[in-house]
């Protein structure tokens, strides 16, 4: 049939010709036994209800809309920070590009922050690279490190369990992933004997060049002792390894007797034999700790003992991306340069910061306590960060059914949990684990009342799961 010379065709895709399985999904949906999905799978602080720090948001609001500088509702210290940041921006605007390494004034403020944190050890602003969160800087350093072919291909040592950024980046770059296992029976401690085992095995098929450390740990929540850090530095020096220290949870330390020690501070306290030799890149971010500003993508990297010619290449590499997000740089500036005791915002800032960290510490203790009451779940103390990584003992029948479905057993467990309770966790297989063990990662970020419900539901589900597959 034609009309005005055009041939009429029936539609190719109609309700009759479409995939019938999709119609089944639409019309045969099963009512789930829960009213909401609780995302306990990701460290997205504010999505889970953590409140932003007032002072940080005031300064960012002023920087974003400078007309507010005339508004009497904003405290003078916030206005002063905003004016100072804007004066350092091109055209006095957050909307302008910055230098590729980051705004110089902010790098200077980061350097002063590191000096205060580390008890006066000098920090050169020229060694600071601002970044799009810590992830961007980590990937940048890995890009610099990867070279060679076959047995000369770069190997990078990463902890198992590990944050999947590392394995994904190494796979993309074609580097060799060298796994070293954390000691679950020793509160996920790092054992030098295990580092040596992993290194010697890897030397047979690649060229190990770097060692990555996450402290406090993700997903395992451990905080490394000073002695452990010193041992790692000695190991890196002996084996001529580049150290990468991911320290984004440095304010998240809860357990009695635990304290955050930066790798840089320990390196310098060990003397020039180490501080002038060991190559180190340290990373921090505005996304975690008490800030929880994941969406602003602010972060920095400090490099030490980098070959000057390589440093030129690093600066060239970061320039390809033009610059890190300037609002993220502005946020980082107020994180490293917060209100001081003689300023009007100080008391509110200290209260908000303390309340946020105290709530996380309380939830860390509660999570460990409740999970350890469940037969078949073993949970190490959550010493720091914002996750727990408990081991789950699964019946052979459940393991067999999971394998029949082509799933890892802990994925099978987590999918069942999601289907029955609406709680979303991450299976341990996504982070790596010793053969024959099963885990899940869960964040401690939900508000206390909701976290109690989550833990109660996990407890009830686990008992039902064991009975079902016994």
């Amino acid at each position: 049939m034609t009309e005005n010379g055009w041939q009429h065709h029936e539609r190719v895709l109609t309700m009759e010709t479409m995939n019938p399985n999709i119609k089944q999904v639409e019309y045969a949906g099963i009512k789930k036994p829960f009213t909401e999905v609780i995302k306990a799978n990701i460290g997205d602080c504010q999505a889970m209800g953590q409140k932003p720090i007032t002072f940080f948001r005031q300064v960012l609001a002023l920087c974003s809309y400078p007309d507010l500088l005339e508004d009497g509702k904003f405290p003078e210290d916030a206005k002063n920070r905003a004016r100072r940041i804007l004066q350092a921006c091109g055209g006095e605007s957050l909307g302008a590009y910055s230098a590729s390494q980051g705004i110089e004034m902010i790098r200077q403020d980061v350097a002063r922050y590191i000096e205060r944190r580390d008890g006066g050890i000098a920090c050169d602003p020229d060694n600071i690279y601002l970044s799009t969160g810590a992830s961007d800087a980590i990937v940048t350093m890995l890009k610099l490190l990867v070279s060679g072919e076959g047995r000369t291909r770069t190997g990078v040592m990463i902890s198992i369990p590990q944050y999947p950024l590392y394995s994904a980046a190494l796979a993309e770059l074609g580097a060799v992933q060298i796994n070293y296992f954390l000691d679950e029976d020793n509160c996920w401690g790092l054992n030098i004997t295990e580092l040596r085992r992993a290194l010697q095995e890897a030397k047979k098929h690649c060229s190990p060049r770097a060692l990555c450390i996450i402290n406090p740990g993700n997903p395992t929540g451990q905080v490394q002792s000073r002695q452990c850090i010193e041992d790692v530095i000695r190991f890196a020096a002996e084996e001529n390894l580049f150290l990468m220290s991911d320290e984004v949870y440095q304010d998240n330390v809860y357990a009695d007797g635990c304290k955050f020690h930066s790798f840089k501070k320990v390196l310098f306290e060990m003397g020039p034999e180490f501080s002038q030799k060991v190559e180190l890149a340290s990373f921090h971010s505005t996304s975690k700790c008490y800030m929880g500003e994941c969406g602003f993508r602010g972060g920095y990297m400090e490099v030490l003992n980098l070959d000057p010619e390589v440093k030129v290449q690093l600066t060239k590499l970061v320039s390809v991306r033009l610059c890190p997000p300037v609002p993220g740089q502005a946020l980082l500036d107020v994180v490293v340069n917060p209100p001081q005791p003689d300023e009007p915002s100080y008391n509110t800032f200290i209260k908000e910061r303390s309340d946020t960290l105290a709530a996380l510490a309380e939830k860390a203790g509660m999570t460990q306590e409740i999970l350890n009451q469940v037969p078949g779940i073993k949970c190490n103390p959550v010493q720091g960060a914002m996750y727990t990584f408990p081991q789950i003992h699964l019946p052979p029948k459940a393991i067999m059914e999971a394998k029949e479905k082509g799933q890892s057993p802990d994925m099978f467990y987590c999918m069942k949990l999601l289907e029955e309770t609406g709680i979303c966790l991450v299976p341990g297989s996504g982070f790596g684990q010793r053969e024959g063990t099963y885990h899940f990662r869960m964040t401690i970020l939900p508000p206390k009342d909701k976290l109690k419900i989550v833990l109660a539901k996990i407890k009830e589900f686990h008992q039902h799961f064991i009975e079902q597959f016994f």
Side-chain angles (χ1 to χ4, degrees):
M1 176 181 174
T2 61
E3 184 179 311
N4 298 331
W6 289 95
Q7 182 77 32
H8 272 249
H9 293 284
E10 289 186 9
R11 293 185 191 275
V12 173
L13 185 60
T14 67
M15 289 296 288
E16 286 70 37
T17 63
M18 72 174 283
N19 184 336
N21 294 329
I22 293 174
K23 287 191 281 187
Q24 280 297 108
V25 171
E26 183 178 348
Y27 292 113
I30 300 168
K31 183 171 171 55
K32 299 295 180 187
F34 50 84
T35 55
E36 66 170 330
V37 173
I38 300 174
K39 295 180 179 178
N41 61 320
I42 188 169
D44 192 352
C45 307
Q46 293 181 20
M48 288 284 95
Q50 183 172 313
K51 299 295 182 191
I53 299 294
T54 302
F55 183 76
F56 296 169
R57 289 302 184 90
Q58 286 174 330
V59 174
L60 287 166
L62 291 161
C63 287
S64 299
Y65 189 54
D67 286 3
L68 292 174
L69 288 163
E70 308 307 318
D71 191 321
K73 295 189 185 75
F74 289 82
E76 280 306 310
D77 51 352
K79 290 181 178 180
N80 290 338
R81 294 294 196 293
R83 289 189 190 101
R84 185 169 173 267
I85 291 167
L86 288 170
Q87 285 164 10
C89 294
E92 299 196 0
S93 171
L94 281 192
Y97 287 130
S98 77
S100 299
Q101 199 170 337
I103 294 170
E104 185 177 2
M105 181 205 77
I106 298 176
R107 289 190 289 112
Q108 291 169 350
D109 287 349
V110 169
R112 281 190 283 269
Y113 159 81
I114 292 171
E115 286 177 355
R116 290 194 305 273
R117 183 197 69 186
D118 291 344
I121 294 166
C123 179
D124 183 351
D126 197 43
N127 288 337
I128 304 296
Y129 288 78
L130 306 190
S131 57
T132 308
S135 306
D136 176 50
I138 290 165
V139 173
T140 296
M141 281 312 305
L142 290 172
K143 281 182 180 175
L144 279 181
L145 281 159
V146 174
S147 66
E149 295 296 335
R151 291 189 63 173
T152 66
R153 190 66 173 164
T154 295
V156 178
M157 302 183 72
I158 65 172
S159 60
I160 299 295
Q162 54 99 25
Y163 177 45
L165 164 73
Y166 291 90
S167 54
L170 294 176
E172 185 180 341
L173 295 168
V176 178
Q177 177 177 318
I178 305 170
N179 296 337
Y180 65 89
F181 288 93
L182 299 177
D183 184 358
E184 184 169 11
D185 293 332
N186 189 26
C187 205
W188 296 113
L190 198 164
N191 187 301
I192 296 299
T193 304
E194 168 61 12
L195 283 181
R196 291 199 190 284
R197 178 207 63 77
L199 183 76
Q200 294 311 316
E201 203 171 285
K203 282 180 176 177
K204 298 170 187 173
H205 57 87
C206 70
S207 175
R209 287 212 186 108
L211 168 59
C212 298
I213 307 285
I214 308 174
N215 180 47
N218 174 12
T220 43
Q222 85 285 6
V223 178
Q224 288 180 5
S225 68
R226 192 193 179 287
Q227 183 60 54
C228 176
I229 292 170
E230 197 170 308
D231 291 344
V232 169
I233 289 170
R234 287 185 195 281
F235 173 77
E238 288 167 16
E239 300 293 347
N240 201 29
L241 294 170
F242 191 107
L243 262 179
M244 295 177 63
S245 181
D246 180 339
E247 299 174 340
V248 302
Y249 297 100
Q250 58 189 257
D251 291 314
N252 297 107
V253 177
Y254 318 120
D256 290 341
C258 288
K259 182 182 176 184
F260 170 74
H261 302 273
S262 78
F263 264 75
K264 180 189 177 181
K265 184 172 191 282
V266 177
L267 180 66
F268 274 80
E269 288 173 348
M270 289 171 71
E273 175 191 354
F274 297 96
S275 64
Q276 293 177 11
K277 174 189 174 186
V278 175
E279 295 156 88
L280 171 69
S282 303
F283 308 92
H284 195 20
S285 164
T286 60
S287 299
K288 310 300 179 184
C289 302
Y290 66 94
M291 301 85 76
E293 297 281 12
C294 303
F296 277 97
R297 312 306 300 131
Y300 73 78
M301 163 176 69
E302 181 185 15
V303 294
L304 290 173
N305 297 321
L306 207 59
D307 182 300
E309 291 183 16
V310 172
K311 201 169 169 190
V312 171
Q313 297 301 313
L314 170 60
T315 305
K316 180 180 77 175
L317 182 58
V318 299
S319 71
V320 172
R321 296 193 183 183
L322 298 178
C323 70
V326 176
Q329 295 186 51
L331 171 63
L332 178 63
D333 191 66
V334 282
V335 169
V336 300
N337 187 19
Q340 298 304 300
D342 60 346
E343 293 183 309
S345 300
Y346 179 75
N347 290 336
T348 301
F349 167 74
I350 290 296
K351 184 179 188 311
E352 290 177 346
R353 182 184 188 277
S354 301
D355 287 352
T356 298
L357 292 173
L360 286 166
E362 184 183 5
K363 291 187 288 186
M366 183 175 78
T367 299
Q368 172 202 342
E369 183 183 343
I370 293 174
L371 288 177
N372 277 329
Q373 292 170 4
V374 185
I377 297 183
K378 179 189 169 192
C379 182
N380 271 321
V382 183
Q383 296 177 332
M386 47 185 61
Y387 314 97
T388 181
F389 197 71
Q391 184 172 157
I392 48 177
H393 295 279
L394 303 179
K397 191 176 170 185
I399 294 169
M400 194 180 304
E401 185 164 329
K403 288 179 177 172
E404 285 170 4
K405 291 177 180 287
Q407 294 180 338
S408 63
D410 45 14
M411 170 63 91
F412 177 71
Y413 178 93
C414 288
M415 289 302 293
K416 282 264 187 192
L417 177 72
L418 178 61
E419 286 285 328
E420 294 181 23
T421 68
I423 296 168
C424 184
L425 305 178
V426 190
S429 48
F431 301 90
Q433 54 199 349
R434 283 197 181 274
E435 188 73 30
T437 67
Y438 306 106
H439 302 79
F440 61 75
R441 188 189 80 164
M442 173 184 152
T443 176
I444 61 171
L445 287 171
K448 183 181 172 183
D449 291 345
K450 186 168 279 190
L451 184 61
K452 277 184 178 175
I453 293 167
V454 168
L455 291 166
K457 284 186 174 183
I458 291 172
K459 183 177 182 179
E460 183 184 348
F461 166 82
H462 188 83
Q463 289 165 339
H464 172 68
F465 185 90
I466 297 300
E467 289 167 9
Q468 183 183 355
F469 290 99
F470 188 70

